[in-house]
Amino acid sequence: MKKLFEPKDYAQKITTPAGKARWASLSTPKGFQGDDKEHYLCDILLTEDDAQPIIDTITGIQEKLIDMCGQEDKNVRRSHFNPFKTHAEDERVPEGFVQFKTKKRHFPAKEGKPASRPVDTYVDGKKVDWSKVDYDSIGNDSVIRLGIVATPYYVPTLGLGVTLKLQAVKVIELQKFSAENSANFDAEFSDGESTTAATSSDDDNYFD
């Protein structure tokens, strides 16, 4: 099937203003159930004012491509999936802010080719060597700027969308994240106590 357009021809480089990191995984790629691809991840939380120029860039890419495809009598619709969300769409996003989702595809080593590198991350103006630091990633509320590339894609069943490809992270204020120190309950819960079955009434369901 012939491509409607070449994504890189319409991609736009963006450097974000300073914002707060959310759910970063910069040294180790993450995979999700039902998806065989792994990605390095980093969301950024920006004020609505700081977010608007980025949103305008994303919608501008879509509008340009829809206009172009419309001139060629191709029925192309905009995707409902955006690389950002607001409080109205997700209550976990604070009011007055926009959270952008960015990612970088990880490619494992194959046929003599090395695996893709982690995301270039800069702390104190120097690129982080993850094998030499005492943390695994940057934690939530670290103040960061992101280097991203807004890249369009088209899937007939989903429509015309834009993904934010993560290129680099500049850390302004660091909150360290270490997996071994994150809510580790081993000592408290690994006590050998047996789990017993219990009967419950309609009045004592913990999750209601």
Side-chain angles (χ1 to χ4, degrees):
M1 180 178 172
K2 183 179 179 182
K3 288 183 179 180
L4 288 179
F5 55 86
E6 184 59 50
K8 64 182 179 61
D9 292 342
Y10 297 90
Q12 293 197 36
K13 180 180 176 181
I14 298 171
T15 301
T16 73
K20 290 191 174 182
R22 287 290 185 272
W23 318 121
S25 181
L26 302 175
S27 61
T28 305
K30 294 286 187 181
F32 296 94
Q33 187 173 3
D35 187 355
D36 60 351
K37 303 180 183 68
E38 292 187 324
H39 294 86
Y40 300 98
L41 308 169
C42 188
D43 286 10
I44 187 170
L45 196 64
L46 297 175
T47 65
E48 290 178 341
D49 286 344
D50 283 344
Q52 193 58 53
I54 301 174
I55 295 173
D56 290 344
T57 297
I58 292 168
T59 56
I61 293 171
Q62 292 173 307
E63 289 169 359
K64 184 175 182 178
L65 284 167
I66 288 172
D67 288 345
M68 181 194 75
C69 294
Q71 292 172 0
E72 298 176 5
D73 296 324
K74 295 175 180 175
N75 185 21
V76 176
R77 61 181 176 84
R78 183 178 298 178
S79 173
H80 294 297
F81 298 98
N82 290 315
F84 58 86
K85 55 188 176 181
T86 65
H87 179 77
E89 296 154 330
D90 187 336
E91 292 183 352
R92 292 172 296 181
V93 179
E95 291 186 359
F97 288 82
V98 179
Q99 186 167 323
F100 291 89
K101 181 180 181 64
T102 78
K103 58 185 180 180
K104 175 186 176 181
R105 175 80 181 274
H106 170 69
F107 295 94
K110 185 178 180 181
E111 297 177 355
K113 294 183 179 179
S116 55
R117 296 181 306 159
V119 176
D120 289 342
T121 304
Y122 297 83
V123 175
D124 295 330
K126 298 178 182 179
K127 189 182 294 186
V128 174
D129 181 342
W130 292 107
S131 67
K132 297 181 179 179
V133 294
D134 62 351
Y135 52 96
D136 299 318
S137 190
I138 61 174
N140 284 352
D141 292 330
S142 293
V143 179
I144 61 171
R145 298 179 70 192
L146 298 182
I148 55 181
V149 178
T151 306
Y153 65 87
Y154 178 69
V155 179
T157 55
L158 299 177
L160 175 64
V162 173
T163 186
L164 301 179
K165 294 186 176 182
L166 180 59
Q167 305 295 304
V169 180
K170 179 180 177 64
V171 182
I172 300 167
E173 296 178 17
L174 175 63
Q175 301 287 340
K176 295 180 180 181
F177 172 82
S178 178
E180 65 180 23
N181 295 326
S182 62
N184 192 329
F185 289 92
D186 282 353
E188 182 178 354
F189 286 179
S190 298
D191 54 10
E193 182 179 359
S194 298
T195 299
T196 59
T199 57
S200 62
S201 69
D202 292 339
D203 297 327
D204 62 4
N205 189 335
Y206 184 84
F207 294 102
D208 279 350

